[in-house]
Amino acid sequence: MLKNILLICAHKHDYDHRLPSLMYLKELGYNIRVIKSLMEMNHFIERPDLAIMPDLSFSGMNALHDNMLYPLESMNIPYITIWDTNPLRQLDQLQYYKRNHLCLFVIDRYIVSQLHSLGFAQARYIEYPYVHPAHYGPSPVTTTLVKDLVFAGTISTVQNCNAYWCPALAAADVHDSHVCLLQRMLWASKGQYLDIFDLLQKYTTLNPFGRHFKMLSDYGMFLQKAIGRHFLLQTINKTSMSLDTYGNMEGAFSLNGRIIFHPWMDKNRALRHLYRSARINLCLTQFADACHERMFQSAACNGFILSERKAAAEEIFPDKQAAAYFDSLEEIPELAQYYLDHESERRAMADKATEIYQANFTHRHILGRMMAQVERMMQ
């Protein structure tokens, strides 16, 4: 019987932003112990029945140590990992950790199918499980945050992305043709989502478990994000609309007085007020078929969501009922203006999103369903 669970939060982001939700497992009746390093297992008296590790702790420890899961494997402890990043970018590490790796829970259904094709039969779909009510929930409208259209996410230029990644790729002897392939394809997409893993599989002969594939996957993800932001800003700049972004990597400034770049907001304290106060919360993602965390966070805060269309998101928050969706960046201005002009419709959809979230998609619901799967697998 599953009773004692070890939560491994070796990365500060996991400890600050994921652990509060994971501690709900105590309410499900499990005995929980939290550690920041596997070295702490040397002092264990009682062997845990299961270990749970968020993705950043897995990848971060692997970056520092070879065979970092040896304590778990030597004690024959089954473990699960939870991924709200893309595990395909960690295949060079994951290939060595299959024996006791009971399950990889991933927030994107398409990535789950890709993992299955690579031999990771234990991959399972999970909705984003880390929206904790202490950090996200209804709050009074904050006057200074009443904006027409906001985007809370990383804003970095293509130039800065290339300045960081291209020297590292060259130093690792990654072939220029592969770098140029990513640049050419992603610029041609004009901000539309392309699956980097599929692209590299189709147009190169690189080993998906190799270091060069990993580095190109990382570069492609960041480049796609930067190019997507570039075309978003270009689209808005062609109109008379305003856009406030929160997450600029180059400091606070404005473009033409209408596109305002703000620094990051504290996820645990401030974002709830932005999501609640903004008239429209914009959601763009680097996933093929996921309901992104911003959608759950906005819904928890009773915010209105205008999102890039993803099947997984639309199944949870139906179009024109609980959220609005665009199929291309060019559709954003018209959709945004429509919902700015129809406040009662916008507020009714925000209320419906909150109702759906509270009824079936809080961290309690999602982690409860996750543990029910784990319990069945361990029987």
Side-chain angles (χ1 to χ4, degrees), residues 76-118:
N76 202 32
I77 298 170
Y79 58 92
I80 66 172
T81 50
I82 305 174
W83 298 81
D84 63 291
T85 58
N86 191 338
L88 294 171
R89 293 166 51 209
Q90 305 293 335
L91 288 175
D92 62 324
Q93 300 166 0
L94 283 169
Q95 64 180 319
Y96 300 113
Y97 300 115
K98 288 185 178 181
R99 185 166 64 90
N100 292 327
H101 200 166
L102 186 68
C103 195
L104 295 85
F105 284 103
V106 185
I107 67 165
D108 185 295
R109 299 184 300 193
Y110 186 63
I111 293 174
V112 170
S113 68
Q114 290 172 311
L115 287 167
H116 288 171
S117 72
L118 293 166

Side-chain angles (χ1 to χ4, degrees), residues 261-281:
F261 299 89
H262 306 270
W264 280 104
M265 299 186 81
D266 188 305
K267 291 183 72 170
N268 286 1
R269 296 182 179 89
L271 268 184
R272 68 189 303 163
H273 303 295
L274 178 66
Y275 288 140
R276 175 65 184 92
S277 304
R279 294 185 176 96
I280 298 176
N281 293 291

Side-chain angles (χ1 to χ4, degrees), residues 141-152 241-246 253-254 257-263 265 270-271 273-282 302-306 336-337 339-341 343 346-347:
V141 171
T142 303
T143 304
T144 56
L145 295 176
V146 176
K147 314 286 186 181
D148 283 349
L149 181 64
V150 306
F151 175 67
M241 298 191 72
S242 63
L243 171 67
D244 286 79
T245 71
Y246 295 82
F253 64 96
S254 68
R258 293 183 296 102
I259 300 177
I260 315 298
F261 299 89
H262 306 270
M265 299 186 81
L271 268 184
H273 303 295
L274 178 66
Y275 288 140
R276 175 65 184 92
S277 304
R279 294 185 176 96
I280 298 176
N281 293 291
L282 194 59
N302 197 223
F304 175 80
I305 308 159
L306 175 58
Q337 192 60 58
Y339 286 107
L340 289 172
D341 294 340
E343 182 178 3
R346 189 178 77 238
R347 290 311 313 155

Side-chain angles (χ1 to χ4, degrees), residues 46-61:
E46 188 171 9
R47 174 187 178 276
D49 302 311
L50 176 74
I52 298 177
M53 195 181 333
D55 49 3
L56 294 181
S57 292
F58 176 90
S59 56
M61 287 193 294

